[in-house]
């Protein structure tokens, strides 16, 4: 039976499709872009997002260990499980980024503007985590910030690929290295990380994004995206009329 959390996400696909049609029509009229173009360095943007996340993951693990919030990490060496979760997240996050950052967010942007679309998309997608195990105010806040981070990357770079890479590397590394991420954990990953600190600080059973330490890292990452994330096609734009001078070029509209 589908959980309430999964049902919420599934129901979001309906407005995502409807708004995606609106966004696609606007893109066809050269008013905006869906952010799905594979030309002009899409792979490089994906890898840039991965490279951006990696040092944050490593520093976060170091902070958790040095502050005693992890009680004796144990190496397990489950490479097969780590590879499996990497592939699983690659497929899952690609589908979610297409549905929510390309279709839902773009269509909303055409109707109400980029800022409103960015915030509403983040809150709507994060709403599912209100029904997750071990949830609470901080976990939902962390989920909102996570989605704001990915949406900001789509806005700053003009496409979904940079944020997709950033999100994929962060979640894959965190889970593979033994932490819980938004309620998801591996029992036989590369490491086991027994959490020793209070839930409000570490996220407890929900995972790192549901505690003050993880949320602080996400906020710093948002600042980093705002300052450094760039895409070959330029930032996401929406023009007021068809074929305006500031509209995306034909190669950018996908």
């Amino acid at each position: 039976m589908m959980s309430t959390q999964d049902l919420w996400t599934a129901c979001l696909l309906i407005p995502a499709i409807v708004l995606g049609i609106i966004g696609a029509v606007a893109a066809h009229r050269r008013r905006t872009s869906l952010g799905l173009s594979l030309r002009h360095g899409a792979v490089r943007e994906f890898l840039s997002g991965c490279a951006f996340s990696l040092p944050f993951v490593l520093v976060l693990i170091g902070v958790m260990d040095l502050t005693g919030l992890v009680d004796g990490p144990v190496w397990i060496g489950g490479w097969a499980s780590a590879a499996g979760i990497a592939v699983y997240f690659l497929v899952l996050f690609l589908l979610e980024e297409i549905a929510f950052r390309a279709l839902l967010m773009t269509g909303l942007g055409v109707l109400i503007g980029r800022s409103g679309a960015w915030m509403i998309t983040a809150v709507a997608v994060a709403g599912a985590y209100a029904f997750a195990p071990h949830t609470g105010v901080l976990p939902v806040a962390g989920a909102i910030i996570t989605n704001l981070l990915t949406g900001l990357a789509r806005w700053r770079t003009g496409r979904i690929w940079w944020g997709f890479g950033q999100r994929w590397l962060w979640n894959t590394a965190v889970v593979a290295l033994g932490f819980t991420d938004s309620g998801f954990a591996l029992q036989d990953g590369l490491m086991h990380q027994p959490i020793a600190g209070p839930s409000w600080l570490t996220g407890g059973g929900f995972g790192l994004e549901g505690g003050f330490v993880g949320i602080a890292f996400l906020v710093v990452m948002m600042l980093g995206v705002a300052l450094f994330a760039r895409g070959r096609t330029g930032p996401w734009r929406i023009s007021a009329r068809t074929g305006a001078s500031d509209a995306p070029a034909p190669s950018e509209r996908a």
Side-chain angles (χ1 to χ4, degrees):
M1 184 176 179
M2 184 177 289
S3 68
T4 305
Q5 180 181 357
D6 291 336
L7 183 61
W8 178 288
T9 301
C11 287
L12 275 182
L13 294 176
I14 298 173
I17 292 171
V18 174
L19 290 165
I21 293 172
I22 295 173
V25 171
H28 180 71
R29 294 176 177 175
R30 292 192 60 192
R31 290 188 55 206
T32 190
S33 164
L34 290 174
L36 294 173
S37 171
L38 292 171
R39 300 178 181 179
H40 307 299
V43 172
R44 182 176 180 179
E45 287 179 19
F46 173 81
L47 295 176
S48 295
C50 293
F52 175 82
S53 275
L54 182 58
F56 286 98
V57 172
L58 297 178
V59 172
L60 175 60
I61 293 172
V63 168
M64 296 291 289
D65 186 41
L66 293 174
T67 57
L69 296 176
V70 174
D71 186 16
V74 178
W75 177 259
I76 298 175
W79 290 101
S81 293
I85 198 62
V87 174
Y88 171 73
F89 280 160
L90 191 71
V91 176
L92 176 65
F93 294 161
L94 175 60
L95 295 175
E96 289 187 351
E97 291 307 304
I98 291 173
F100 302 134
R101 245 64 66 174
L103 302 182
L104 182 65
M105 185 170 157
T106 302
L108 273 174
V110 171
L111 295 177
I112 65 173
R114 292 174 297 178
S115 296
W118 173 54
M119 291 184 285
I120 290 175
T121 299
V123 173
V125 176
Y129 293 97
F131 306 101
H134 311 289
T135 192
V137 174
L138 280 177
V140 172
I144 292 173
I145 295 171
T146 298
N147 279 277
L148 286 172
L149 171 62
T150 313
L152 183 61
R154 185 265 190 266
W155 186 345
R156 295 294 297 165
T157 65
R159 296 189 286 191
I160 67 169
W161 308 119
W162 204 100
F164 173 37
Q166 173 270 310
R167 183 185 179 197
W168 175 76
L169 191 286
W170 171 274
N171 286 269
T172 299
V174 165
V175 172
L177 292 172
F179 292 98
T180 302
D181 178 70
S182 301
F184 192 97
L186 279 181
Q187 299 302 318
D188 54 352
L190 296 178
M191 299 182 72
H192 175 57
Q193 305 272 5
I195 299 297
S199 295
W200 64 268
L201 197 57
T202 65
F206 182 85
L208 295 178
E209 295 174 358
F212 270 118
V213 174
I215 289 174
F217 270 78
L218 292 172
V219 171
V220 174
M221 289 174 76
M222 278 190 64
L223 294 175
V225 168
L227 292 173
F228 302 114
R230 298 291 184 273
R232 288 284 301 277
T233 61
W236 176 37
R237 303 187 299 274
I238 301 175
S239 63
R241 63 187 186 279
T242 300
S245 60
D246 63 338
S251 61
E252 300 174 28
R253 282 180 268 159

